[in-house]
Amino acid sequence: MSSERVVIVGGGHGGFQMAASLRSEGFSGGITLIGEEPGLPYQRPPLSKAFLKDGDAARLHFRPQAFFETNNIELIPGTRVSRIDPARKHVTTATGDAIGYDHLVLATGSRNVRPPVANLHLDNVLTLRNLADAADLRARLSGARHVLVIGGGFIGMEFAAVAADFGVAVTVIEGAGRLMARTVSGAVSKHFLALHEGRGTTVRLGRFVSELIDDGTGRVAGVRLADGTRIDGDMVLIAAGVTPNSELASEAGLAVSDGIDVDEFLRTSDPAISALGDCCNFPDPVSGNRVRLESVQAATDHARAIARRLTGKPAPYAAVPWFWSDQSHFKLQIAGLGSGADEQVALEPESGGLVVINFASGRLLSVETVNSASAHMSARRLLASGRPVAQADLAAHNYNLVDYARAV
Ligand SMILES: Cc1cc2nc3c(=O)[nH]c(=O)nc-3n(C[C@H](O)[C@H](O)[C@H](O)COP(=O)(O)OP(=O)(O)OC[C@H]3O[C@@H](n4cnc5c(N)ncnc54)[C@H](O)[C@@H]3O)c2cc1C
């Protein structure tokens, strides 16, 4: 489709990678990248980590403006796409412009959930998804005395770690019985609970916030829990998870469940439209279950797979999912998806850190590591090989993933 036009909606991780990969795969047709955020596409993970400390926004850009000109990528920032017309093959922007496509890629990501809590409108109640949010959070953090974080997932805990570094008192309130429960094992949750508590952060597990308290001037003064307990604080971060931006797709009649449904080639129910990253729901090649992942790796690997397909090299998406989270001087890395694990081996290597190996029916399923990059890389290699790894074989190597990966 070298003379055709690919339009990409969403200029985040997946959208940017989509445009870049199309060119690196040799696509010579038109590429239009439309994003509702202003400016050049940028990396999101540092927003809850380094950016909160250094405030250096220029360092976040994937590529300078010249990259888009050199690669003949039409970048349209600050523009929201409000409608897709699949029959006429065009999208309409919020300002009413119609842009035609031969192939459309939806890379609209996800947005933060607003939990059912009263008074979310109060001043100094913040969320974190984009650069503008992070800049606001950073500016207000230096004036805060006690930050309350609603949600003990990756972003809430990364922010809690940075806030503690600023010398601000931090209380995290999490509805589940353990931290990051959606993505990590109990052993890893426990490890990070000890880490954060050891740094002076208060963590309230199994508690729900029902109301934010007004100080009488419209500014937040604390939270009230469902059990009536009041916790004082002068700043609140809502980090209660995300929901996929799939409305554009559903309004256009595409199949949508938890995200935009795609097949193993990342095609939506309309073959002229693909979807990737946070907004899409795809079949996991290992378990066969449909999943939606919120990770840079998934978004970029999806984009690469679509680019290969659109340039005549189709292959089902089969990358091993992996994730990371930096909290203080602890790096959590996860290779593979752990849901369905029926057995687990947790090790504390002499070098420090933690390695948790998850098995299903005696086979390696996923590996969670803390400050153990070599074990993480070995796990990724083993999982990517496609060869099943038997628990008994790993046990024969004392569950040393690096040794085992070298041996096979
Ligand atoms: C603070 C923070 C920290 C994170 N840390 C990590 C991490 O450490 N590791 C990791 O793997 N992942 C991390 N993530 C998640 C990761 O950033 C996402 O999974 C990844 O960005 C998904 O890429 P995407 O292209 O699907 O969506 P996004 O990067 O979110 O991009 C979607 C873009 O589409 C735009 N858009 C939406 N609707 C429209 C429309 N109708 N018209 C035009 N544009 C539209 C949005 O404004 C947005 O810019 C973090 C996320 C956040 C917010």
PDB file of all heavy atoms in Angstrom, residues 9-15 34-37 44-45 47-49 79-81 107-109 128-129 155 245 248 277-278 294-296 299 324, ligand 1:
ATOM      1  N   VAL A   9      -4.592   7.902  14.921  1.00  0.00           N
ATOM      2  CA  VAL A   9      -5.257   8.775  15.907  1.00  0.00           C
ATOM      3  C   VAL A   9      -4.641   8.506  17.273  1.00  0.00           C
ATOM      4  O   VAL A   9      -4.748   7.398  17.807  1.00  0.00           O
ATOM      5  CB  VAL A   9      -6.779   8.518  15.961  1.00  0.00           C
ATOM      6  CG1 VAL A   9      -7.442   9.476  16.951  1.00  0.00           C
ATOM      7  CG2 VAL A   9      -7.391   8.661  14.577  1.00  0.00           C
ATOM      8  N   GLY A  10      -4.007   9.528  17.844  1.00  0.00           N
ATOM      9  CA  GLY A  10      -3.349   9.395  19.142  1.00  0.00           C
ATOM     10  C   GLY A  10      -1.842   9.465  18.961  1.00  0.00           C
ATOM     11  O   GLY A  10      -1.258   8.607  18.297  1.00  0.00           O
ATOM     12  N   GLY A  11      -1.240  10.500  19.539  1.00  0.00           N
ATOM     13  CA  GLY A  11       0.205  10.714  19.348  1.00  0.00           C
ATOM     14  C   GLY A  11       1.008  10.349  20.583  1.00  0.00           C
ATOM     15  O   GLY A  11       1.944  11.049  20.949  1.00  0.00           O
ATOM     16  N   GLY A  12       0.645   9.252  21.258  1.00  0.00           N
ATOM     17  CA  GLY A  12       1.404   8.786  22.423  1.00  0.00           C
ATOM     18  C   GLY A  12       2.445   7.756  22.000  1.00  0.00           C
ATOM     19  O   GLY A  12       2.961   7.786  20.873  1.00  0.00           O
ATOM     20  N   HIS A  13       2.725   6.819  22.907  1.00  0.00           N
ATOM     21  CA  HIS A  13       3.772   5.829  22.651  1.00  0.00           C
ATOM     22  C   HIS A  13       3.494   5.023  21.393  1.00  0.00           C
ATOM     23  O   HIS A  13       4.349   4.885  20.525  1.00  0.00           O
ATOM     24  CB  HIS A  13       3.901   4.882  23.846  1.00  0.00           C
ATOM     25  CG  HIS A  13       4.826   5.417  24.873  1.00  0.00           C
ATOM     26  ND1 HIS A  13       6.162   5.136  24.893  1.00  0.00           N
ATOM     27  CD2 HIS A  13       4.594   6.255  25.898  1.00  0.00           C
ATOM     28  CE1 HIS A  13       6.729   5.779  25.892  1.00  0.00           C
ATOM     29  NE2 HIS A  13       5.800   6.461  26.525  1.00  0.00           N
ATOM     30  N   GLY A  14       2.279   4.449  21.328  1.00  0.00           N
ATOM     31  CA  GLY A  14       1.961   3.577  20.209  1.00  0.00           C
ATOM     32  C   GLY A  14       1.817   4.357  18.911  1.00  0.00           C
ATOM     33  O   GLY A  14       2.274   3.910  17.856  1.00  0.00           O
ATOM     34  N   GLY A  15       1.183   5.526  18.970  1.00  0.00           N
ATOM     35  CA  GLY A  15       0.971   6.347  17.778  1.00  0.00           C
ATOM     36  C   GLY A  15       2.295   6.776  17.166  1.00  0.00           C
ATOM     37  O   GLY A  15       2.512   6.655  15.949  1.00  0.00           O
ATOM     38  N   ILE A  34      -2.350  12.253  14.255  1.00  0.00           N
ATOM     39  CA  ILE A  34      -3.195  13.288  14.876  1.00  0.00           C
ATOM     40  C   ILE A  34      -3.279  13.027  16.378  1.00  0.00           C
ATOM     41  O   ILE A  34      -3.712  11.951  16.811  1.00  0.00           O
ATOM     42  CB  ILE A  34      -4.633  13.251  14.302  1.00  0.00           C
ATOM     43  CG1 ILE A  34      -4.620  13.206  12.776  1.00  0.00           C
ATOM     44  CG2 ILE A  34      -5.443  14.450  14.798  1.00  0.00           C
ATOM     45  CD1 ILE A  34      -5.987  12.885  12.160  1.00  0.00           C
ATOM     46  N   GLY A  35      -2.868  13.990  17.186  1.00  0.00           N
ATOM     47  CA  GLY A  35      -2.910  13.810  18.634  1.00  0.00           C
ATOM     48  C   GLY A  35      -3.575  14.999  19.310  1.00  0.00           C
ATOM     49  O   GLY A  35      -3.363  16.146  18.898  1.00  0.00           O
ATOM     50  N   GLU A  36      -4.341  14.720  20.341  1.00  0.00           N
ATOM     51  CA  GLU A  36      -5.047  15.855  20.969  1.00  0.00           C
ATOM     52  C   GLU A  36      -4.148  16.664  21.907  1.00  0.00           C
ATOM     53  O   GLU A  36      -4.439  17.811  22.213  1.00  0.00           O
ATOM     54  CB  GLU A  36      -6.318  15.380  21.680  1.00  0.00           C
ATOM     55  CG  GLU A  36      -6.139  14.793  23.031  1.00  0.00           C
ATOM     56  CD  GLU A  36      -7.470  14.365  23.633  1.00  0.00           C
ATOM     57  OE1 GLU A  36      -8.437  15.147  23.563  1.00  0.00           O
ATOM     58  OE2 GLU A  36      -7.517  13.257  24.174  1.00  0.00           O
ATOM     59  N   GLU A  37      -3.023  16.070  22.328  1.00  0.00           N
ATOM     60  CA  GLU A  37      -2.135  16.838  23.200  1.00  0.00           C
ATOM     61  C   GLU A  37      -1.289  17.801  22.354  1.00  0.00           C
ATOM     62  O   GLU A  37      -0.982  17.505  21.201  1.00  0.00           O
ATOM     63  CB  GLU A  37      -1.215  15.889  23.970  1.00  0.00           C
ATOM     64  CG  GLU A  37      -1.965  15.036  24.979  1.00  0.00           C
ATOM     65  CD  GLU A  37      -1.017  14.238  25.858  1.00  0.00           C
ATOM     66  OE1 GLU A  37      -0.262  14.867  26.617  1.00  0.00           O
ATOM     67  OE2 GLU A  37      -1.036  13.003  25.768  1.00  0.00           O
ATOM     68  N   ARG A  44       5.727   8.816  28.391  1.00  0.00           N
ATOM     69  CA  ARG A  44       4.863   8.998  29.565  1.00  0.00           C
ATOM     70  C   ARG A  44       5.479   8.462  30.887  1.00  0.00           C
ATOM     71  O   ARG A  44       5.296   9.080  31.940  1.00  0.00           O
ATOM     72  CB  ARG A  44       3.534   8.280  29.303  1.00  0.00           C
ATOM     73  CG  ARG A  44       2.312   9.105  29.573  1.00  0.00           C
ATOM     74  CD  ARG A  44       1.061   8.421  29.023  1.00  0.00           C
ATOM     75  NE  ARG A  44       0.828   8.814  27.659  1.00  0.00           N
ATOM     76  CZ  ARG A  44       0.315   9.980  27.296  1.00  0.00           C
ATOM     77  NH1 ARG A  44      -0.038  10.867  28.194  1.00  0.00           N
ATOM     78  NH2 ARG A  44       0.129  10.266  26.025  1.00  0.00           N
ATOM     79  N   PRO A  45       6.209   7.321  30.863  1.00  0.00           N
ATOM     80  CA  PRO A  45       6.672   6.774  32.153  1.00  0.00           C
ATOM     81  C   PRO A  45       7.432   7.755  33.049  1.00  0.00           C
ATOM     82  O   PRO A  45       7.216   7.755  34.273  1.00  0.00           O
ATOM     83  CB  PRO A  45       7.543   5.579  31.731  1.00  0.00           C
ATOM     84  CG  PRO A  45       6.904   5.107  30.470  1.00  0.00           C
ATOM     85  CD  PRO A  45       6.485   6.370  29.750  1.00  0.00           C
ATOM     86  N   LEU A  47       6.865  10.643  33.738  1.00  0.00           N
ATOM     87  CA  LEU A  47       5.982  11.631  34.381  1.00  0.00           C
ATOM     88  C   LEU A  47       5.759  11.326  35.861  1.00  0.00           C
ATOM     89  O   LEU A  47       5.504  12.228  36.657  1.00  0.00           O
ATOM     90  CB  LEU A  47       4.615  11.692  33.673  1.00  0.00           C
ATOM     91  CG  LEU A  47       4.630  12.114  32.201  1.00  0.00           C
ATOM     92  CD1 LEU A  47       3.197  12.170  31.664  1.00  0.00           C
ATOM     93  CD2 LEU A  47       5.328  13.451  31.997  1.00  0.00           C
ATOM     94  N   SER A  48       5.835  10.045  36.230  1.00  0.00           N
ATOM     95  CA  SER A  48       5.650   9.691  37.644  1.00  0.00           C
ATOM     96  C   SER A  48       6.989   9.389  38.304  1.00  0.00           C
ATOM     97  O   SER A  48       7.025   8.866  39.413  1.00  0.00           O
ATOM     98  CB  SER A  48       4.727   8.474  37.758  1.00  0.00           C
ATOM     99  OG  SER A  48       5.175   7.426  36.915  1.00  0.00           O
ATOM    100  N   LYS A  49       8.061   9.681  37.589  1.00  0.00           N
ATOM    101  CA  LYS A  49       9.397   9.325  38.107  1.00  0.00           C
ATOM    102  C   LYS A  49      10.319  10.540  37.955  1.00  0.00           C
ATOM    103  O   LYS A  49      10.144  11.535  38.662  1.00  0.00           O
ATOM    104  CB  LYS A  49       9.938   8.101  37.345  1.00  0.00           C
ATOM    105  CG  LYS A  49       8.964   6.916  37.327  1.00  0.00           C
ATOM    106  CD  LYS A  49       9.470   5.785  36.454  1.00  0.00           C
ATOM    107  CE  LYS A  49       8.469   4.652  36.300  1.00  0.00           C
ATOM    108  NZ  LYS A  49       7.390   4.905  35.337  1.00  0.00           N
ATOM    109  N   THR A  79      -5.104  18.404  18.398  1.00  0.00           N
ATOM    110  CA  THR A  79      -6.327  18.198  17.602  1.00  0.00           C
ATOM    111  C   THR A  79      -6.994  16.884  17.997  1.00  0.00           C
ATOM    112  O   THR A  79      -6.384  15.818  17.899  1.00  0.00           O
ATOM    113  CB  THR A  79      -5.969  18.162  16.093  1.00  0.00           C
ATOM    114  OG1 THR A  79      -5.330  19.399  15.769  1.00  0.00           O
ATOM    115  CG2 THR A  79      -7.197  17.981  15.226  1.00  0.00           C
ATOM    116  N   ARG A  80      -8.231  16.993  18.419  1.00  0.00           N
ATOM    117  CA  ARG A  80      -8.973  15.792  18.819  1.00  0.00           C
ATOM    118  C   ARG A  80      -9.775  15.255  17.637  1.00  0.00           C
ATOM    119  O   ARG A  80     -10.440  16.027  16.937  1.00  0.00           O
ATOM    120  CB  ARG A  80      -9.922  16.172  19.971  1.00  0.00           C
ATOM    121  CG  ARG A  80     -10.704  15.009  20.499  1.00  0.00           C
ATOM    122  CD  ARG A  80     -11.481  15.346  21.760  1.00  0.00           C
ATOM    123  NE  ARG A  80     -12.257  14.192  22.158  1.00  0.00           N
ATOM    124  CZ  ARG A  80     -11.751  13.115  22.744  1.00  0.00           C
ATOM    125  NH1 ARG A  80     -10.473  13.054  23.045  1.00  0.00           N
ATOM    126  NH2 ARG A  80     -12.507  12.087  23.042  1.00  0.00           N
ATOM    127  N   VAL A  81      -9.703  13.960  17.414  1.00  0.00           N
ATOM    128  CA  VAL A  81     -10.569  13.346  16.403  1.00  0.00           C
ATOM    129  C   VAL A  81     -11.888  13.027  17.086  1.00  0.00           C
ATOM    130  O   VAL A  81     -11.917  12.389  18.145  1.00  0.00           O
ATOM    131  CB  VAL A  81      -9.912  12.073  15.815  1.00  0.00           C
ATOM    132  CG1 VAL A  81     -10.909  11.285  14.981  1.00  0.00           C
ATOM    133  CG2 VAL A  81      -8.697  12.454  14.985  1.00  0.00           C
ATOM    134  N   ALA A 107      -4.857   4.677  18.237  1.00  0.00           N
ATOM    135  CA  ALA A 107      -3.842   4.589  19.299  1.00  0.00           C
ATOM    136  C   ALA A 107      -4.220   5.607  20.369  1.00  0.00           C
ATOM    137  O   ALA A 107      -3.419   6.453  20.766  1.00  0.00           O
ATOM    138  CB  ALA A 107      -2.466   4.883  18.713  1.00  0.00           C
ATOM    139  N   THR A 108      -5.485   5.511  20.800  1.00  0.00           N
ATOM    140  CA  THR A 108      -6.060   6.561  21.657  1.00  0.00           C
ATOM    141  C   THR A 108      -5.777   6.373  23.149  1.00  0.00           C
ATOM    142  O   THR A 108      -6.176   7.202  23.967  1.00  0.00           O
ATOM    143  CB  THR A 108      -7.590   6.648  21.430  1.00  0.00           C
ATOM    144  OG1 THR A 108      -8.131   5.312  21.502  1.00  0.00           O
ATOM    145  CG2 THR A 108      -7.925   7.234  20.080  1.00  0.00           C
ATOM    146  N   GLY A 109      -5.110   5.277  23.521  1.00  0.00           N
ATOM    147  CA  GLY A 109      -4.687   5.114  24.914  1.00  0.00           C
ATOM    148  C   GLY A 109      -5.845   4.965  25.882  1.00  0.00           C
ATOM    149  O   GLY A 109      -6.911   4.426  25.561  1.00  0.00           O
ATOM    150  N   LEU A 128      -2.835  12.072  37.256  1.00  0.00           N
ATOM    151  CA  LEU A 128      -1.578  12.051  36.510  1.00  0.00           C
ATOM    152  C   LEU A 128      -1.718  11.160  35.287  1.00  0.00           C
ATOM    153  O   LEU A 128      -1.807   9.931  35.413  1.00  0.00           O
ATOM    154  CB  LEU A 128      -0.455  11.534  37.424  1.00  0.00           C
ATOM    155  CG  LEU A 128       0.946  11.390  36.799  1.00  0.00           C
ATOM    156  CD1 LEU A 128       1.395  12.668  36.113  1.00  0.00           C
ATOM    157  CD2 LEU A 128       1.952  10.978  37.860  1.00  0.00           C
ATOM    158  N   ARG A 129      -1.775  11.781  34.125  1.00  0.00           N
ATOM    159  CA  ARG A 129      -1.813  11.009  32.880  1.00  0.00           C
ATOM    160  C   ARG A 129      -0.938  11.632  31.809  1.00  0.00           C
ATOM    161  O   ARG A 129      -0.302  10.957  31.037  1.00  0.00           O
ATOM    162  CB  ARG A 129      -3.263  10.894  32.370  1.00  0.00           C
ATOM    163  CG  ARG A 129      -3.431  10.222  31.020  1.00  0.00           C
ATOM    164  CD  ARG A 129      -4.078   8.863  31.028  1.00  0.00           C
ATOM    165  NE  ARG A 129      -3.524   7.895  31.908  1.00  0.00           N
ATOM    166  CZ  ARG A 129      -2.807   6.831  31.528  1.00  0.00           C
ATOM    167  NH1 ARG A 129      -2.524   6.638  30.268  1.00  0.00           N
ATOM    168  NH2 ARG A 129      -2.385   5.953  32.403  1.00  0.00           N
ATOM    169  N   ILE A 155       1.288   3.636  39.430  1.00  0.00           N
ATOM    170  CA  ILE A 155       1.471   5.091  39.354  1.00  0.00           C
ATOM    171  C   ILE A 155       1.360   5.720  40.738  1.00  0.00           C
ATOM    172  O   ILE A 155       2.163   6.579  41.115  1.00  0.00           O
ATOM    173  CB  ILE A 155       0.479   5.701  38.329  1.00  0.00           C
ATOM    174  CG1 ILE A 155       0.913   5.244  36.937  1.00  0.00           C
ATOM    175  CG2 ILE A 155       0.446   7.226  38.416  1.00  0.00           C
ATOM    176  CD1 ILE A 155       0.001   5.630  35.816  1.00  0.00           C
ATOM    177  N   ASN A 245      -9.790   4.437  25.997  1.00  0.00           N
ATOM    178  CA  ASN A 245     -10.488   5.429  25.155  1.00  0.00           C
ATOM    179  C   ASN A 245     -11.009   4.707  23.914  1.00  0.00           C
ATOM    180  O   ASN A 245     -10.372   4.714  22.855  1.00  0.00           O
ATOM    181  CB  ASN A 245      -9.521   6.548  24.757  1.00  0.00           C
ATOM    182  CG  ASN A 245      -9.159   7.424  25.927  1.00  0.00           C
ATOM    183  OD1 ASN A 245      -9.984   7.697  26.801  1.00  0.00           O
ATOM    184  ND2 ASN A 245      -7.920   7.885  25.975  1.00  0.00           N
ATOM    185  N   LEU A 248     -14.598   6.380  20.415  1.00  0.00           N
ATOM    186  CA  LEU A 248     -14.508   6.699  18.985  1.00  0.00           C
ATOM    187  C   LEU A 248     -14.818   5.441  18.166  1.00  0.00           C
ATOM    188  O   LEU A 248     -15.544   5.505  17.169  1.00  0.00           O
ATOM    189  CB  LEU A 248     -13.061   7.161  18.719  1.00  0.00           C
ATOM    190  CG  LEU A 248     -12.752   8.116  17.590  1.00  0.00           C
ATOM    191  CD1 LEU A 248     -13.639   9.341  17.627  1.00  0.00           C
ATOM    192  CD2 LEU A 248     -11.272   8.516  17.671  1.00  0.00           C
ATOM    193  N   GLY A 277      -2.089  -0.773  21.690  1.00  0.00           N
ATOM    194  CA  GLY A 277      -1.751  -0.172  22.977  1.00  0.00           C
ATOM    195  C   GLY A 277      -2.867  -0.252  24.003  1.00  0.00           C
ATOM    196  O   GLY A 277      -3.694  -1.175  23.995  1.00  0.00           O
ATOM    197  N   ASP A 278      -2.881   0.734  24.897  1.00  0.00           N
ATOM    198  CA  ASP A 278      -3.816   0.738  26.029  1.00  0.00           C
ATOM    199  C   ASP A 278      -5.275   0.597  25.615  1.00  0.00           C
ATOM    200  O   ASP A 278      -6.097   0.134  26.397  1.00  0.00           O
ATOM    201  CB  ASP A 278      -3.702   2.070  26.791  1.00  0.00           C
ATOM    202  CG  ASP A 278      -2.502   2.145  27.717  1.00  0.00           C
ATOM    203  OD1 ASP A 278      -1.564   1.354  27.534  1.00  0.00           O
ATOM    204  OD2 ASP A 278      -2.499   3.012  28.614  1.00  0.00           O
ATOM    205  N   GLU A 294      -1.606  -2.206  29.839  1.00  0.00           N
ATOM    206  CA  GLU A 294      -1.237  -0.788  29.922  1.00  0.00           C
ATOM    207  C   GLU A 294       0.268  -0.743  30.068  1.00  0.00           C
ATOM    208  O   GLU A 294       0.791  -0.727  31.187  1.00  0.00           O
ATOM    209  CB  GLU A 294      -1.934  -0.140  31.122  1.00  0.00           C
ATOM    210  CG  GLU A 294      -3.442  -0.056  30.941  1.00  0.00           C
ATOM    211  CD  GLU A 294      -4.196  -0.268  32.241  1.00  0.00           C
ATOM    212  OE1 GLU A 294      -3.622  -0.044  33.324  1.00  0.00           O
ATOM    213  OE2 GLU A 294      -5.371  -0.673  32.172  1.00  0.00           O
ATOM    214  N   SER A 295       0.975  -0.820  28.986  1.00  0.00           N
ATOM    215  CA  SER A 295       2.439  -0.806  29.068  1.00  0.00           C
ATOM    216  C   SER A 295       3.025  -0.280  27.768  1.00  0.00           C
ATOM    217  O   SER A 295       2.481  -0.489  26.677  1.00  0.00           O
ATOM    218  CB  SER A 295       2.973  -2.203  29.371  1.00  0.00           C
ATOM    219  OG  SER A 295       3.275  -2.908  28.199  1.00  0.00           O
ATOM    220  N   VAL A 296       4.148   0.399  27.933  1.00  0.00           N
ATOM    221  CA  VAL A 296       4.863   0.943  26.782  1.00  0.00           C
ATOM    222  C   VAL A 296       5.253  -0.174  25.830  1.00  0.00           C
ATOM    223  O   VAL A 296       5.133  -0.054  24.609  1.00  0.00           O
ATOM    224  CB  VAL A 296       6.120   1.687  27.292  1.00  0.00           C
ATOM    225  CG1 VAL A 296       7.116   1.913  26.176  1.00  0.00           C
ATOM    226  CG2 VAL A 296       5.718   2.993  27.948  1.00  0.00           C
ATOM    227  N   ALA A 299       2.355  -1.330  23.635  1.00  0.00           N
ATOM    228  CA  ALA A 299       1.984  -0.329  22.622  1.00  0.00           C
ATOM    229  C   ALA A 299       3.015  -0.294  21.495  1.00  0.00           C
ATOM    230  O   ALA A 299       2.655  -0.261  20.304  1.00  0.00           O
ATOM    231  CB  ALA A 299       1.849   1.046  23.268  1.00  0.00           C
ATOM    232  N   TRP A 324       7.709  -2.621  33.755  1.00  0.00           N
ATOM    233  CA  TRP A 324       8.623  -2.203  34.817  1.00  0.00           C
ATOM    234  C   TRP A 324       7.991  -1.086  35.629  1.00  0.00           C
ATOM    235  O   TRP A 324       7.055  -0.423  35.194  1.00  0.00           O
ATOM    236  CB  TRP A 324       9.965  -1.744  34.239  1.00  0.00           C
ATOM    237  CG  TRP A 324       9.966  -0.333  33.744  1.00  0.00           C
ATOM    238  CD1 TRP A 324      10.329   0.789  34.429  1.00  0.00           C
ATOM    239  CD2 TRP A 324       9.575   0.138  32.442  1.00  0.00           C
ATOM    240  NE1 TRP A 324      10.202   1.907  33.636  1.00  0.00           N
ATOM    241  CE2 TRP A 324       9.738   1.535  32.414  1.00  0.00           C
ATOM    242  CE3 TRP A 324       9.095  -0.503  31.284  1.00  0.00           C
ATOM    243  CZ2 TRP A 324       9.442   2.309  31.295  1.00  0.00           C
ATOM    244  CZ3 TRP A 324       8.806   0.283  30.181  1.00  0.00           C
ATOM    245  CH2 TRP A 324       8.983   1.653  30.191  1.00  0.00           C
TER     246      TRP A 324
HETATM  247  C1  LIG B   1       2.424   8.578  34.825  1.00  0.00           C
HETATM  248  C2  LIG B   1       2.539   7.315  34.027  1.00  0.00           C
HETATM  249  C3  LIG B   1       3.620   6.457  34.240  1.00  0.00           C
HETATM  250  C4  LIG B   1       3.722   5.277  33.509  1.00  0.00           C
HETATM  251  N1  LIG B   1       4.794   4.461  33.734  1.00  0.00           N
HETATM  252  C5  LIG B   1       4.945   3.352  32.977  1.00  0.00           C
HETATM  253  C6  LIG B   1       6.099   2.510  33.130  1.00  0.00           C
HETATM  254  O1  LIG B   1       6.957   2.740  33.980  1.00  0.00           O
HETATM  255  N2  LIG B   1       6.198   1.430  32.317  1.00  0.00           N
HETATM  256  C7  LIG B   1       5.278   1.132  31.369  1.00  0.00           C
HETATM  257  O2  LIG B   1       5.417   0.153  30.628  1.00  0.00           O
HETATM  258  N3  LIG B   1       4.171   1.899  31.218  1.00  0.00           N
HETATM  259  C8  LIG B   1       3.996   2.988  31.986  1.00  0.00           C
HETATM  260  N4  LIG B   1       2.877   3.773  31.829  1.00  0.00           N
HETATM  261  C9  LIG B   1       1.844   3.350  30.874  1.00  0.00           C
HETATM  262  C10 LIG B   1       2.267   3.738  29.470  1.00  0.00           C
HETATM  263  O3  LIG B   1       2.621   5.084  29.418  1.00  0.00           O
HETATM  264  C11 LIG B   1       1.107   3.438  28.524  1.00  0.00           C
HETATM  265  O4  LIG B   1       0.803   2.066  28.617  1.00  0.00           O
HETATM  266  C12 LIG B   1       1.486   3.808  27.098  1.00  0.00           C
HETATM  267  O5  LIG B   1       1.702   5.196  27.005  1.00  0.00           O
HETATM  268  C13 LIG B   1       0.377   3.367  26.160  1.00  0.00           C
HETATM  269  O6  LIG B   1       0.614   3.884  24.887  1.00  0.00           O
HETATM  270  P1  LIG B   1      -0.622   4.240  23.938  1.00  0.00           P
HETATM  271  O7  LIG B   1      -0.036   4.754  22.678  1.00  0.00           O
HETATM  272  O8  LIG B   1      -1.564   3.122  23.926  1.00  0.00           O
HETATM  273  O9  LIG B   1      -1.366   5.420  24.721  1.00  0.00           O
HETATM  274  P2  LIG B   1      -0.840   6.832  25.178  1.00  0.00           P
HETATM  275  O10 LIG B   1       0.642   6.894  25.253  1.00  0.00           O
HETATM  276  O11 LIG B   1      -1.608   7.173  26.410  1.00  0.00           O
HETATM  277  O12 LIG B   1      -1.292   7.798  24.008  1.00  0.00           O
HETATM  278  C14 LIG B   1      -2.631   7.992  23.645  1.00  0.00           C
HETATM  279  C15 LIG B   1      -2.742   9.385  23.062  1.00  0.00           C
HETATM  280  O13 LIG B   1      -3.957   9.478  22.322  1.00  0.00           O
HETATM  281  C16 LIG B   1      -4.506  10.760  22.507  1.00  0.00           C
HETATM  282  N5  LIG B   1      -5.931  10.699  22.155  1.00  0.00           N
HETATM  283  C17 LIG B   1      -6.914  10.037  22.807  1.00  0.00           C
HETATM  284  N6  LIG B   1      -8.103  10.197  22.161  1.00  0.00           N
HETATM  285  C18 LIG B   1      -7.825  10.975  21.079  1.00  0.00           C
HETATM  286  C19 LIG B   1      -8.639  11.505  20.040  1.00  0.00           C
HETATM  287  N7  LIG B   1      -9.944  11.239  19.969  1.00  0.00           N
HETATM  288  N8  LIG B   1      -8.060  12.297  19.110  1.00  0.00           N
HETATM  289  C20 LIG B   1      -6.717  12.557  19.171  1.00  0.00           C
HETATM  290  N9  LIG B   1      -5.906  12.079  20.130  1.00  0.00           N
HETATM  291  C21 LIG B   1      -6.454  11.300  21.071  1.00  0.00           C
HETATM  292  C22 LIG B   1      -4.237  11.022  23.988  1.00  0.00           C
HETATM  293  O14 LIG B   1      -4.324  12.384  24.296  1.00  0.00           O
HETATM  294  C23 LIG B   1      -2.815  10.476  24.129  1.00  0.00           C
HETATM  295  O15 LIG B   1      -1.850  11.461  23.853  1.00  0.00           O
HETATM  296  C24 LIG B   1       2.732   4.949  32.564  1.00  0.00           C
HETATM  297  C25 LIG B   1       1.648   5.814  32.349  1.00  0.00           C
HETATM  298  C26 LIG B   1       1.546   6.976  33.069  1.00  0.00           C
HETATM  299  C27 LIG B   1       0.381   7.897  32.840  1.00  0.00           C
END
